[in-house]
Amino acid sequence: MQAERVRTYAAAAAVPALMVILAHLAYAWEQHPSSADRQTTAFGHGIGLAVVLAAVLAAGRVAQWLEGASARLWPGVVGVVGTIAVLAHLADDWSAGSAAVRSVSILLEHLAAFALVALAAWAAGRAEARGRHP
């Protein structure tokens, strides 16, 4: 597959997905008059937007790899998806309330998760390099 097609397909999939998520958010927003319910609804849809972003960024890494602009594919994909997953989880913890925002342990747990993502990306790069050079 050509890099241009990967970018085109990613954009062709992302734009309608974003429109559906935003349209559903607008619909759900009107169904919930209380600000707490609206905040929860908006947060859930924000996670959906983050998933679309992760998919588009991963597709961009694939396109770079297909063009030869990147020697390895998997470290970038693992890094992008893992980082957005950790950030989404951190946002979910912080949306739980003010006690979670002040919690140092939540911050440390997510810093450890970022370290694990970095380790996984590094390991993916090593495995991919070993696969190319037996």
Side-chain angles (χ1 to χ4, degrees), residues 38-90:
R38 285 183 171 181
Q39 181 181 7
T40 301
T41 299
F43 177 79
H45 288 79
I47 295 297
L49 294 172
V51 169
V52 173
L53 174 64
V56 169
L57 291 174
R61 294 296 298 170
V62 170
Q64 285 182 328
W65 178 73
L66 288 171
E67 290 174 331
S70 178
R72 295 189 184 109
L73 170 64
W74 293 110
V77 172
V78 169
V80 163
V81 172
T83 298
I84 289 182
V86 172
L87 288 173
H89 191 268
L90 177 62

